[in-house]
Amino acid sequence: MAAMFYFRGLPIGWVAIMLALLASMGGFIFGYDTGQISDIVLMDDFLLRFATCSTPGDAATCTFSTVREGLIVSLLSIGTLVGALLGAPVADFLGRRHAISVECLVFTIGVIVQICSSHVWQQLAVGRFIGGLGVGALSAAVPMYQAETAPAQIRGTLTATFQLFITFGILVAYCIAIGTRNTPGSASWRIVVGIGMLWALILGIGILFMPESPRWLAAHGRMEGAQKSLARTRGIPEEEVKGHYIILREVEGIKSSVQYEKQSRGGWIDCFRPKNKTLYRTLLGMSLQSLQQLTGANYFFYYGASVFRAVGLQDSFVTQIILGAVNFVCTFGGMYVLERFGRRKPLIIGGIWQSAWLFVFASAGTAVDPTTHAGIGKLMIVSACMFILGYAMTWAPGVWILIGETFPTRTRAKQGSLSTASNWVWNFLLAFFTPFISSAIGYRYGFVFAACNLAGAVVVYFFLYESSNLSLESVDMMYTDPDCKPWTSSKWAPSGFTSRQDLIEQTRAAEAQKPLVSNGVEEGRIEKRSHSSEV
């Protein structure tokens, strides 16, 4: 008997859980590379090698120019932008698993270039750019692979593990940095950077033992492979694959979808066609990823150690670990929140919550000099932690889940890449220009992020459709239904079902091989694709 368990009465294979956890190492690599630079730029040996020192050999006199620090931090983001755009064609050509392995190799090359840097900061920056190519491609490929492979009933939770591992990577980077910061010589920072190769090795090799995306296999005419892939994630024994009701139903849905898409195969230009709300969804995905960056979270992750040193803390490294721990622990809550309450409500409430605490942070830092008033400094730290709490439970995992489930299969990879690229464009802009902006307006920078969080809540309310508990095919039907509006989408269900809850109950009954009938329509219609010609 294949290893499985039942979730809300539905059979789920343990392979689906292992797949999500292993693939999410791509998020861990992303987070680790993001988190390490905040502490590394403050290490004595790193300053002596790459900064400008007024007294040679004295780290206390070494500082980075605004441009140099901005480039060292932000060139990773330029690499990730390019990598995100390349992620789709590579994943479509090589397959999701092999693409992930190749991208891990690219990241490893970038790490090697960095740790071989001696005194030339440009070499270090180029290494971060190369590493960024791998990270960016992984950020496009991994959520897509998880969404296409995970059972629909737990797709949101499993896809959210990508964000969970991002936060875990950030926390681990902080912990390793605080452990090596007093190590003599270049080992203080080279160890932190070099350990990144271990995470790439785990993902690059381990992913080859996981099943390939059944939708990618079907799109390449390998239906038998798609059946076996579905069976492994469902925990169905191999000898039962060809006659098993669940597998046959899912394969039929995927097959009909693939056949339609082959008749109208999507290229890059198709991502911008208004037909079937494709352009709408492309712009929505790009907007959500941009707004995730504009929440201001990376302001703390990239420059947090510098920010908290500026408010008078003696050991800003410890504060970074506290922020990283809050981010990591609260993401577990986010996985529950997004599965229990859907996508729209958490993002709307999260945007308002985050905005409120950023207003507190900015107001406190602007009204009183935190370096001369310990109470204000503590209030700013608490505000930052409360902001991260809301971000980790809503916008951080929520946007990555939506990127995996919002787009139609025929253009999903390309739309996912465009959306992820938008994330990295803003990641670069914020990473590079934050030193300039902070030096000009100080903590009033927080007001800018607060306004962006409110804007994010408005965008979600007016434009995002509720996609929880729907198959990817049903999500596509919902977006193309002219009678469905974003603010009423939580009640939408395919024709023949009275409500979203009715659809969920019918799906559970079908998975348990106890088909029910709702208004004379068999459960099999859940996966039946209706291709309309509306524009």
Side-chain angles (χ1 to χ4, degrees):
M1 184 73 178
M4 73 167 75
F5 66 99
Y6 284 84
F7 178 76
R8 297 176 182 172
L10 308 174
I12 304 293
W14 285 106
V15 169
I17 306 300
M18 292 304 300
L19 176 152
L21 294 176
L22 182 62
S24 291
M25 283 300 297
F28 185 94
I29 293 169
F30 175 4
Y32 186 84
D33 222 37
T34 298
Q36 66 183 10
I37 196 64
S38 177
D39 292 335
I40 285 176
V41 294
L42 298 179
M43 293 182 178
D44 288 350
D45 185 81
F46 192 87
L47 287 166
L48 289 169
R49 288 174 181 271
F50 303 113
T52 302
C53 305
S54 57
T55 303
D58 184 2
T61 66
C62 300
T63 58
F64 284 105
S65 68
T66 303
V67 173
R68 185 178 300 186
E69 182 179 17
L71 285 173
I72 290 175
V73 173
S74 65
L75 267 180
L76 171 78
S77 303
I78 291 294
T80 52
L81 167 61
V82 177
L85 292 173
L86 294 175
V90 171
D92 283 344
F93 179 72
L94 296 178
R96 312 315 191 206
R97 294 181 309 147
H98 291 102
I100 289 172
S101 289
V102 169
E103 290 150 10
C104 287
L105 177 61
V106 173
F107 172 78
T108 300
I109 293 172
V111 171
I112 292 172
V113 172
Q114 290 176 70
I115 60 178
C116 289
S117 303
S118 180
H119 292 88
V120 180
W121 69 268
Q122 291 91 339
Q123 180 181 342
L124 182 85
V126 169
R128 282 180 60 78
F129 172 81
I130 297 171
L133 292 174
V135 172
L138 286 171
S139 68
V142 169
M144 178 170 54
Y145 172 66
Q146 290 175 316
E148 290 182 346
T149 310
Q153 294 74 25
I154 57 172
R155 185 179 64 238
T157 298
L158 296 191
T159 306
T161 58
F162 182 78
Q163 175 61 31
L164 175 67
F165 272 60
I166 291 176
T167 64
F168 188 37
I170 292 172
L171 177 60
V172 169
Y174 291 161
C175 292
I176 293 176
I178 201 172
T180 66
R181 60 178 173 166
N182 294 321
T183 304
S186 64
S188 59
W189 59 272
R190 281 190 169 124
I191 289 174
V192 181
V193 177
I195 286 176
M197 289 188 288
L198 175 62
W199 320 132
L201 185 67
I202 293 172
L203 174 59
I205 295 176
I207 198 67
L208 298 177
F209 295 92
M210 295 292 105
E212 181 57 89
S213 161
R215 287 171 173 82
W216 183 85
L217 290 169
H220 288 75
R222 297 162 60 181
M223 293 308 303
E224 185 175 348
Q227 286 183 329
K228 291 181 179 179
S229 178
L230 286 168
R232 289 187 66 186
T233 59
R234 285 292 187 181
I236 305 299
E238 187 172 341
E239 59 272 16
E240 297 180 15
V241 170
K242 292 187 177 180
H244 200 284
Y245 170 75
I246 296 174
I247 302 302
L248 292 177
R249 183 177 64 84
E250 293 196 17
V251 166
E252 188 59 36
I254 293 173
K255 185 187 295 184
S256 63
S257 177
V258 167
Q259 288 174 346
Y260 167 74
E261 286 148 11
K262 281 186 176 180
Q263 296 171 4
S264 53
R265 187 177 297 276
W268 287 101
I269 193 65
D270 292 296
C271 298
F272 300 96
R273 298 188 189 279
K275 184 178 180 180
N276 294 328
K277 283 198 171 178
T278 304
L279 172 62
Y280 179 102
R281 284 183 271 180
T282 298
L283 296 178
L284 177 62
M286 294 174 69
S287 298
L288 290 174
Q289 284 282 26
S290 299
L291 287 164
Q292 188 197 56
Q293 282 297 315
L294 289 167
T295 57
N298 278 350
Y299 169 64
F300 297 105
F301 296 142
Y302 281 142
Y303 295 103
S306 301
V307 169
F308 293 121
R309 176 174 287 187
V311 302
L313 290 176
Q314 295 300 315
D315 195 342
S316 57
F317 283 66
V318 174
T319 304
Q320 282 289 85
I321 289 181
I322 293 173
L323 275 183
V326 170
N327 189 31
F328 175 61
V329 172
C330 290
T331 302
F332 283 99
M335 295 169 71
Y336 169 77
V337 166
L338 290 159
E339 201 67 57
R340 173 66 178 82
F341 300 103
R343 318 299 190 232
R344 283 172 50 83
K345 288 182 181 178
L347 292 184
I348 293 171
I349 294 172
I352 296 171
W353 171 276
Q354 291 154 206
S355 179
W357 286 107
L358 283 170
F359 270 116
V360 173
F361 177 88
S363 299
T366 302
V368 180
D369 184 355
T371 60
T372 60
H373 197 295
I376 290 296
K378 291 177 182 177
L379 174 61
M380 293 176 71
I381 294 171
V382 170
S383 300
C385 287
M386 297 303 286
F387 162 79
I388 293 296
L389 180 150
Y391 174 77
M393 293 184 70
T394 57
W395 275 82
V399 171
W400 289 109
I401 292 173
L402 289 163
I403 294 307
E405 65 187 21
T406 300
F407 309 124
T409 304
R410 64 188 293 263
T411 51
R412 181 177 298 125
K414 295 177 177 62
Q415 286 174 295
S417 286
L418 288 169
S419 299
T420 307
S422 300
N423 183 296
W424 290 115
V425 166
W426 282 100
N427 191 304
F428 164 74
L429 293 173
L430 292 172
F432 182 75
F433 287 108
T434 285
F436 296 92
I437 298 172
S438 292
S439 63
I441 63 175
Y443 296 112
R444 290 192 294 275
Y445 198 15
F447 292 127
V448 176
F449 292 127
C452 290
N453 278 275
L454 287 178
V458 171
V459 168
V460 169
Y461 180 81
F462 285 106
F463 299 104
L464 180 66
Y465 286 69
E466 181 56 70
S467 53
S468 61
N469 292 306
L470 292 176
S471 70
L472 297 182
E473 287 73 29
S474 293
V475 171
D476 195 29
M477 292 169 61
M478 175 178 65
Y479 270 94
T480 55
D481 185 343
D483 296 324
C484 182
K485 304 299 179 186
W487 47 90
T488 63
S489 59
S490 61
K491 300 177 182 179
W492 181 91
S495 177
F497 295 90
T498 58
S499 65
R500 181 72 61 91
Q501 187 60 38
D502 183 31
L503 169 64
I504 296 170
E505 291 173 357
Q506 290 290 323
T507 303
R508 291 176 184 171
E511 296 287 1
Q513 299 191 48
K514 299 175 183 177
L516 297 178
V517 175
S518 176
N519 293 341
V521 180
E522 295 183 358
E523 186 279 334
R525 291 188 62 174
I526 294 172
E527 296 293 336
K528 187 176 181 180
R529 185 79 176 268
S530 173
H531 302 297
S532 62
S533 60
E534 287 109 13
V535 175

